[in-house]
Amino acid sequence: REHSIKQEVIKAYSRYNSISEELNGYNSDLLFRVNSSLVNLKKAISIGQIQLREALVTQQSLVSLKLSYLETKRDLLVSGIELIR
């Protein structure tokens, strides 16, 4: 039983560190830059500076990046809770 608990703690600690390193790989101002790019993209569409198809592809890429970042943050919080338990 004690061996099993130690293994669980080691596994949780390893997962936390791994996700923390992944999160550190993101630029600290990522959300600000992505949101700013989305606003600029909207402006470019409204004045006809970019074609709709190109804008949609760009938007999809930006939203995917934002989602990936937020999912990594969520995973770090969850793994931190698992480590505490």
Side-chain angles (χ1 to χ4, degrees), residues 17 20-22 28 30 35-36 39 44-46 53-57 59 66-67 77:
N17 280 338
S20 181
E21 287 178 20
E22 182 180 346
S28 62
L30 174 78
N35 289 335
S36 178
V39 168
I45 293 168
S46 69
R53 181 178 175 88
E54 184 181 346
L56 289 173
V57 170
Q59 181 185 36
K66 186 175 180 177
L67 180 60
L77 292 172

PDB file of all heavy atoms in Angstrom, residues 17 20-22 28 30 35-36 39 44-46 53-57 59 66-67 77:
ATOM      1  N   ASN A  17       5.373  18.466 -13.381  1.00  0.00           N
ATOM      2  CA  ASN A  17       6.588  19.071 -13.936  1.00  0.00           C
ATOM      3  C   ASN A  17       6.564  19.095 -15.458  1.00  0.00           C
ATOM      4  O   ASN A  17       6.966  20.084 -16.075  1.00  0.00           O
ATOM      5  CB  ASN A  17       7.834  18.329 -13.451  1.00  0.00           C
ATOM      6  CG  ASN A  17       8.234  18.746 -12.060  1.00  0.00           C
ATOM      7  OD1 ASN A  17       7.882  19.823 -11.601  1.00  0.00           O
ATOM      8  ND2 ASN A  17       8.960  17.885 -11.376  1.00  0.00           N
ATOM      9  N   SER A  20       4.120  21.727 -16.575  1.00  0.00           N
ATOM     10  CA  SER A  20       4.674  23.038 -16.244  1.00  0.00           C
ATOM     11  C   SER A  20       5.718  23.457 -17.287  1.00  0.00           C
ATOM     12  O   SER A  20       5.732  24.607 -17.732  1.00  0.00           O
ATOM     13  CB  SER A  20       5.311  22.992 -14.858  1.00  0.00           C
ATOM     14  OG  SER A  20       5.836  24.244 -14.507  1.00  0.00           O
ATOM     15  N   GLU A  21       6.557  22.532 -17.700  1.00  0.00           N
ATOM     16  CA  GLU A  21       7.549  22.826 -18.735  1.00  0.00           C
ATOM     17  C   GLU A  21       6.864  23.149 -20.066  1.00  0.00           C
ATOM     18  O   GLU A  21       7.298  24.043 -20.793  1.00  0.00           O
ATOM     19  CB  GLU A  21       8.505  21.651 -18.905  1.00  0.00           C
ATOM     20  CG  GLU A  21       9.485  21.503 -17.771  1.00  0.00           C
ATOM     21  CD  GLU A  21      10.396  20.308 -17.939  1.00  0.00           C
ATOM     22  OE1 GLU A  21      10.543  19.808 -19.077  1.00  0.00           O
ATOM     23  OE2 GLU A  21      10.969  19.869 -16.928  1.00  0.00           O
ATOM     24  N   GLU A  22       5.798  22.416 -20.369  1.00  0.00           N
ATOM     25  CA  GLU A  22       5.046  22.682 -21.595  1.00  0.00           C
ATOM     26  C   GLU A  22       4.466  24.093 -21.566  1.00  0.00           C
ATOM     27  O   GLU A  22       4.535  24.834 -22.550  1.00  0.00           O
ATOM     28  CB  GLU A  22       3.936  21.649 -21.768  1.00  0.00           C
ATOM     29  CG  GLU A  22       3.142  21.808 -23.036  1.00  0.00           C
ATOM     30  CD  GLU A  22       2.044  20.764 -23.185  1.00  0.00           C
ATOM     31  OE1 GLU A  22       2.053  19.756 -22.461  1.00  0.00           O
ATOM     32  OE2 GLU A  22       1.162  20.985 -24.028  1.00  0.00           O
ATOM     33  N   SER A  28       4.782  34.465 -22.630  1.00  0.00           N
ATOM     34  CA  SER A  28       3.985  34.969 -21.503  1.00  0.00           C
ATOM     35  C   SER A  28       2.833  35.882 -21.921  1.00  0.00           C
ATOM     36  O   SER A  28       1.829  35.979 -21.222  1.00  0.00           O
ATOM     37  CB  SER A  28       4.883  35.690 -20.499  1.00  0.00           C
ATOM     38  OG  SER A  28       5.490  36.802 -21.111  1.00  0.00           O
ATOM     39  N   LEU A  30       1.053  35.526 -24.693  1.00  0.00           N
ATOM     40  CA  LEU A  30       0.371  34.832 -25.785  1.00  0.00           C
ATOM     41  C   LEU A  30      -1.098  35.235 -25.913  1.00  0.00           C
ATOM     42  O   LEU A  30      -1.554  35.587 -26.997  1.00  0.00           O
ATOM     43  CB  LEU A  30       0.475  33.319 -25.616  1.00  0.00           C
ATOM     44  CG  LEU A  30      -0.320  32.512 -26.632  1.00  0.00           C
ATOM     45  CD1 LEU A  30       0.411  32.475 -27.966  1.00  0.00           C
ATOM     46  CD2 LEU A  30      -0.595  31.116 -26.143  1.00  0.00           C
ATOM     47  N   ASN A  35      -5.468  37.619 -28.871  1.00  0.00           N
ATOM     48  CA  ASN A  35      -6.679  38.453 -28.844  1.00  0.00           C
ATOM     49  C   ASN A  35      -6.508  39.700 -29.699  1.00  0.00           C
ATOM     50  O   ASN A  35      -7.433  40.097 -30.419  1.00  0.00           O
ATOM     51  CB  ASN A  35      -7.040  38.817 -27.404  1.00  0.00           C
ATOM     52  CG  ASN A  35      -7.568  37.636 -26.631  1.00  0.00           C
ATOM     53  OD1 ASN A  35      -8.099  36.688 -27.199  1.00  0.00           O
ATOM     54  ND2 ASN A  35      -7.409  37.675 -25.326  1.00  0.00           N
ATOM     55  N   SER A  36      -5.345  40.305 -29.642  1.00  0.00           N
ATOM     56  CA  SER A  36      -5.060  41.480 -30.453  1.00  0.00           C
ATOM     57  C   SER A  36      -5.102  41.134 -31.947  1.00  0.00           C
ATOM     58  O   SER A  36      -5.664  41.874 -32.754  1.00  0.00           O
ATOM     59  CB  SER A  36      -3.686  42.038 -30.079  1.00  0.00           C
ATOM     60  OG  SER A  36      -3.358  43.132 -30.869  1.00  0.00           O
ATOM     61  N   VAL A  39      -8.695  40.792 -33.099  1.00  0.00           N
ATOM     62  CA  VAL A  39      -9.322  42.107 -33.287  1.00  0.00           C
ATOM     63  C   VAL A  39      -8.839  42.729 -34.599  1.00  0.00           C
ATOM     64  O   VAL A  39      -9.643  43.248 -35.389  1.00  0.00           O
ATOM     65  CB  VAL A  39      -9.011  43.045 -32.095  1.00  0.00           C
ATOM     66  CG1 VAL A  39      -9.391  44.486 -32.403  1.00  0.00           C
ATOM     67  CG2 VAL A  39      -9.728  42.565 -30.842  1.00  0.00           C
ATOM     68  N   ALA A  44      -9.514  44.028 -40.465  1.00  0.00           N
ATOM     69  CA  ALA A  44      -9.060  43.805 -41.840  1.00  0.00           C
ATOM     70  C   ALA A  44     -10.187  43.262 -42.710  1.00  0.00           C
ATOM     71  O   ALA A  44     -10.315  43.635 -43.879  1.00  0.00           O
ATOM     72  CB  ALA A  44      -7.868  42.844 -41.846  1.00  0.00           C
ATOM     73  N   ILE A  45     -11.031  42.420 -42.144  1.00  0.00           N
ATOM     74  CA  ILE A  45     -12.184  41.884 -42.884  1.00  0.00           C
ATOM     75  C   ILE A  45     -13.165  43.014 -43.192  1.00  0.00           C
ATOM     76  O   ILE A  45     -13.662  43.130 -44.311  1.00  0.00           O
ATOM     77  CB  ILE A  45     -12.890  40.771 -42.085  1.00  0.00           C
ATOM     78  CG1 ILE A  45     -11.992  39.542 -41.964  1.00  0.00           C
ATOM     79  CG2 ILE A  45     -14.205  40.380 -42.749  1.00  0.00           C
ATOM     80  CD1 ILE A  45     -12.490  38.517 -40.962  1.00  0.00           C
ATOM     81  N   SER A  46     -13.423  43.844 -42.188  1.00  0.00           N
ATOM     82  CA  SER A  46     -14.435  44.897 -42.360  1.00  0.00           C
ATOM     83  C   SER A  46     -14.054  45.939 -43.408  1.00  0.00           C
ATOM     84  O   SER A  46     -14.928  46.533 -44.029  1.00  0.00           O
ATOM     85  CB  SER A  46     -14.740  45.570 -41.018  1.00  0.00           C
ATOM     86  OG  SER A  46     -13.640  46.333 -40.588  1.00  0.00           O
ATOM     87  N   ARG A  53     -12.000  33.855 -46.861  1.00  0.00           N
ATOM     88  CA  ARG A  53     -11.448  32.505 -46.721  1.00  0.00           C
ATOM     89  C   ARG A  53     -10.110  32.530 -45.976  1.00  0.00           C
ATOM     90  O   ARG A  53      -9.867  31.742 -45.066  1.00  0.00           O
ATOM     91  CB  ARG A  53     -11.280  31.861 -48.095  1.00  0.00           C
ATOM     92  CG  ARG A  53     -10.743  30.453 -48.053  1.00  0.00           C
ATOM     93  CD  ARG A  53     -10.662  29.874 -49.468  1.00  0.00           C
ATOM     94  NE  ARG A  53     -10.063  28.582 -49.484  1.00  0.00           N
ATOM     95  CZ  ARG A  53     -10.711  27.440 -49.329  1.00  0.00           C
ATOM     96  NH1 ARG A  53     -12.017  27.446 -49.141  1.00  0.00           N
ATOM     97  NH2 ARG A  53     -10.074  26.297 -49.362  1.00  0.00           N
ATOM     98  N   GLU A  54      -9.245  33.444 -46.368  1.00  0.00           N
ATOM     99  CA  GLU A  54      -7.944  33.582 -45.709  1.00  0.00           C
ATOM    100  C   GLU A  54      -8.122  33.980 -44.240  1.00  0.00           C
ATOM    101  O   GLU A  54      -7.419  33.502 -43.350  1.00  0.00           O
ATOM    102  CB  GLU A  54      -7.098  34.626 -46.438  1.00  0.00           C
ATOM    103  CG  GLU A  54      -5.710  34.782 -45.889  1.00  0.00           C
ATOM    104  CD  GLU A  54      -4.891  35.841 -46.610  1.00  0.00           C
ATOM    105  OE1 GLU A  54      -5.294  36.278 -47.702  1.00  0.00           O
ATOM    106  OE2 GLU A  54      -3.860  36.245 -46.060  1.00  0.00           O
ATOM    107  N   ALA A  55      -9.089  34.862 -43.990  1.00  0.00           N
ATOM    108  CA  ALA A  55      -9.372  35.304 -42.625  1.00  0.00           C
ATOM    109  C   ALA A  55      -9.848  34.143 -41.758  1.00  0.00           C
ATOM    110  O   ALA A  55      -9.437  34.017 -40.604  1.00  0.00           O
ATOM    111  CB  ALA A  55     -10.412  36.415 -42.635  1.00  0.00           C
ATOM    112  N   LEU A  56     -10.697  33.295 -42.316  1.00  0.00           N
ATOM    113  CA  LEU A  56     -11.202  32.150 -41.554  1.00  0.00           C
ATOM    114  C   LEU A  56     -10.090  31.160 -41.210  1.00  0.00           C
ATOM    115  O   LEU A  56     -10.047  30.620 -40.101  1.00  0.00           O
ATOM    116  CB  LEU A  56     -12.322  31.447 -42.319  1.00  0.00           C
ATOM    117  CG  LEU A  56     -13.635  32.224 -42.401  1.00  0.00           C
ATOM    118  CD1 LEU A  56     -14.615  31.509 -43.324  1.00  0.00           C
ATOM    119  CD2 LEU A  56     -14.241  32.421 -41.022  1.00  0.00           C
ATOM    120  N   VAL A  57      -9.194  30.935 -42.150  1.00  0.00           N
ATOM    121  CA  VAL A  57      -8.062  30.040 -41.896  1.00  0.00           C
ATOM    122  C   VAL A  57      -7.170  30.620 -40.798  1.00  0.00           C
ATOM    123  O   VAL A  57      -6.750  29.915 -39.870  1.00  0.00           O
ATOM    124  CB  VAL A  57      -7.256  29.790 -43.193  1.00  0.00           C
ATOM    125  CG1 VAL A  57      -5.951  29.069 -42.895  1.00  0.00           C
ATOM    126  CG2 VAL A  57      -8.084  29.004 -44.195  1.00  0.00           C
ATOM    127  N   GLN A  59      -8.072  32.826 -38.501  1.00  0.00           N
ATOM    128  CA  GLN A  59      -8.828  32.809 -37.255  1.00  0.00           C
ATOM    129  C   GLN A  59      -8.791  31.423 -36.626  1.00  0.00           C
ATOM    130  O   GLN A  59      -8.596  31.290 -35.411  1.00  0.00           O
ATOM    131  CB  GLN A  59     -10.270  33.233 -37.504  1.00  0.00           C
ATOM    132  CG  GLN A  59     -11.110  33.251 -36.247  1.00  0.00           C
ATOM    133  CD  GLN A  59     -12.578  33.548 -36.535  1.00  0.00           C
ATOM    134  OE1 GLN A  59     -13.109  33.126 -37.558  1.00  0.00           O
ATOM    135  NE2 GLN A  59     -13.210  34.291 -35.656  1.00  0.00           N
ATOM    136  N   LYS A  66      -4.893  29.493 -28.991  1.00  0.00           N
ATOM    137  CA  LYS A  66      -5.454  29.958 -27.716  1.00  0.00           C
ATOM    138  C   LYS A  66      -6.034  28.796 -26.925  1.00  0.00           C
ATOM    139  O   LYS A  66      -5.799  28.665 -25.712  1.00  0.00           O
ATOM    140  CB  LYS A  66      -6.534  31.012 -27.990  1.00  0.00           C
ATOM    141  CG  LYS A  66      -7.097  31.683 -26.777  1.00  0.00           C
ATOM    142  CD  LYS A  66      -8.057  32.792 -27.185  1.00  0.00           C
ATOM    143  CE  LYS A  66      -8.654  33.505 -26.012  1.00  0.00           C
ATOM    144  NZ  LYS A  66      -9.527  34.615 -26.406  1.00  0.00           N
ATOM    145  N   LEU A  67      -6.755  27.923 -27.590  1.00  0.00           N
ATOM    146  CA  LEU A  67      -7.352  26.760 -26.932  1.00  0.00           C
ATOM    147  C   LEU A  67      -6.277  25.827 -26.380  1.00  0.00           C
ATOM    148  O   LEU A  67      -6.386  25.344 -25.251  1.00  0.00           O
ATOM    149  CB  LEU A  67      -8.266  26.009 -27.901  1.00  0.00           C
ATOM    150  CG  LEU A  67      -8.971  24.778 -27.354  1.00  0.00           C
ATOM    151  CD1 LEU A  67      -9.872  25.148 -26.173  1.00  0.00           C
ATOM    152  CD2 LEU A  67      -9.779  24.114 -28.465  1.00  0.00           C
ATOM    153  N   LEU A  77      -3.346  22.988 -13.635  1.00  0.00           N
ATOM    154  CA  LEU A  77      -4.125  23.159 -12.404  1.00  0.00           C
ATOM    155  C   LEU A  77      -4.658  21.822 -11.896  1.00  0.00           C
ATOM    156  O   LEU A  77      -4.593  21.531 -10.698  1.00  0.00           O
ATOM    157  CB  LEU A  77      -5.287  24.136 -12.650  1.00  0.00           C
ATOM    158  CG  LEU A  77      -4.879  25.581 -12.912  1.00  0.00           C
ATOM    159  CD1 LEU A  77      -6.088  26.403 -13.343  1.00  0.00           C
ATOM    160  CD2 LEU A  77      -4.209  26.189 -11.701  1.00  0.00           C
TER     161      LEU A  77
END
